[in-house]
Amino acid sequence: MCLVVSIALFTLSCQSGGTGPLEAVRGAFQTVTSPVRSLGAAITAPVRGLGNIFSNLTADQATLSELQDEVDELRARNAELEEDASSAQRLQDLLDLRDTNDLQSVAARIISGSTDSWSSTVTLDKGSSSGLSAGMPVTTSSGVIGQIVSCSSTTSTVRLLSDESSSISAMVQSSRAQGMLTGSASGEVRLEMVSTSQEVTTGDVIVTSGLGGVFPKGLPIGEVVSVTNNPGDLYLDIFVELYADTSRSEEVLVITSLTEDQRASSDDIAEADAQERGGASTGDDDDSADDQAPNAGDGSDGSSDGTGE
């Protein structure tokens, strides 16, 4: 029945050509229902908009996930590049040190630290098969760290300057005051056997003296952080902060041999002897230190000859 009525209405609409009573009824119906349709559109618009938002959010979340993956990848790559650049700079610094000081040396890498609590050592990744042997000095680009005490075929053990059994000849760069750089059980480093007649101040740079023919002359070691002249003492009480931090160092140079220019000259040896004699003389002039002067003289022999190295 509804189908018949629909066909009849459609036929009348076509015959009337857009005029007639049927069109008037349809126009009136549209006028009456227009507010209802507008209200319906207003109600459904937020729903349609919310659907679009959810659709966009789904797409944006996927995009954000992809972008986050790219950011993570770029960060990892950037970290690799920074590490490569840092390593390259450290190696360049070692090359500069080698070239500046004309060092005969072999580059090595620190692979581990002390395995016990009563010694200060590090292990290198090269040994006797690379031409290394006990007694050879070791330095970073920042400063000297110590001396090889034992070697296997592929590794070497380095006793650090802070070790209590370490003792090497050193001097104050500015005043040329000679002394012995010694470590301690606490890790503190001191410059000993420097006469109270010598000029030493906080901030002075300490370098290798070349005495003993083991360490090349003039390599940086550290700087004076405190100096005390105790009444009645023959020697200054000097504490030194080392330049090299082995906990942060990776690459080192092992110095395999010295040129004649890198050894202490006869003038350097004579100056060291004169300083020791000056220290002993100071003790002789002080009644309270009369019994100490001979002992100081015994110590000066070791310092001048560099046997501590």
Side-chain angles (χ1 to χ4, degrees):
M1 182 63 180
C2 292
L3 178 62
V4 173
V5 172
S6 297
I7 292 173
L9 291 174
F10 177 74
T11 302
L12 289 173
S13 176
C14 291
Q15 291 177 350
S16 63
T19 60
L22 186 60
E23 288 301 321
V25 172
R26 184 168 62 183
F29 179 78
Q30 289 178 345
T31 300
V32 171
T33 60
S34 178
V36 177
R37 285 186 286 111
S38 298
L39 180 61
I43 293 173
T44 58
V47 177
R48 290 196 304 271
L50 189 60
N52 292 334
I53 290 174
F54 281 127
S55 177
N56 292 336
L57 281 176
T58 302
D60 289 345
Q61 186 61 41
T63 302
L64 286 175
S65 180
E66 293 176 1
L67 290 174
Q68 185 61 51
D69 291 341
E70 292 180 9
V71 168
D72 292 340
E73 183 178 349
L74 289 173
R75 283 177 176 170
R77 179 58 178 160
N78 186 58
E80 292 177 3
L81 292 174
E82 287 183 352
E83 179 60 26
D84 290 343
S86 179
S87 178
Q89 184 60 55
R90 292 194 303 269
L91 292 174
Q92 184 60 53
D93 291 342
L94 283 178
L95 290 174
D96 292 342
L97 177 70
R98 183 198 66 183
D99 295 342
T100 300
N101 295 276
D102 192 25
L103 300 175
Q104 302 299 311
S105 60
V106 172
R109 186 180 295 272
I110 296 175
I111 56 176
S112 68
S114 301
T115 57
D116 55 64
S117 59
W118 56 85
S119 66
S120 297
T121 62
V122 293
T123 302
L124 307 183
D125 66 348
K126 292 185 179 178
S128 57
S129 61
S130 299
L132 307 188
S133 62
M136 290 181 175
V138 183
T139 184
T140 69
S141 58
S142 300
V144 174
I145 66 167
Q147 193 173 5
I148 292 178
V149 291
S150 65
C151 285
S152 70
S153 176
T154 56
T155 63
S156 300
T157 300
V158 179
R159 182 172 58 207
L160 302 180
L161 298 181
S162 58
D163 188 276
E164 62 179 327
S165 60
S166 174
S167 180
I168 71 169
S169 295
M171 66 180 177
V172 180
Q173 188 176 52
S174 57
S175 66
R176 318 309 283 179
Q178 306 276 351
M180 295 296 294
L181 191 84
T182 61
S184 65
S186 65
E188 291 181 322
V189 179
R190 300 174 64 183
L191 183 63
E192 301 180 336
M193 308 297 292
V194 178
S195 169
T196 54
S197 63
Q198 297 300 311
E199 184 71 25
V200 182
T201 60
T202 301
D204 281 347
V205 175
I206 306 300
V207 298
T208 52
S209 66
L211 293 172
V214 176
F215 284 80
K217 180 181 177 181
L219 289 182
I221 296 176
E223 68 176 46
V224 176
V225 291
S226 73
V227 53
T228 305
N229 188 350
N230 297 311
D233 285 355
L234 296 177
Y235 303 106
L236 296 172
D237 193 14
I238 304 170
F239 286 88
V240 176
E241 181 177 330
L242 301 176
Y243 285 142
D245 182 357
T246 54
S247 65
R248 298 180 181 178
S249 301
E250 296 183 30
E251 298 84 9
V252 299
L253 284 181
V254 179
I255 300 167
T256 55
S257 63
L258 304 185
T259 65
E260 193 60 34
D261 292 340
Q262 292 168 342
R263 302 175 186 273
S265 66
S266 57
D267 290 340
D268 295 328
I269 297 173
E271 176 62 24
D273 288 339
Q275 290 181 23
E276 289 299 333
R277 286 195 299 271
S281 297
T282 301
D284 291 337
D285 292 339
D286 190 340
D287 293 338
S288 66
D290 283 343
D291 296 333
Q292 300 179 31
N295 295 331
D298 292 341
S300 67
D301 292 340
S303 176
S304 297
D305 294 337
T307 56
E309 298 178 8

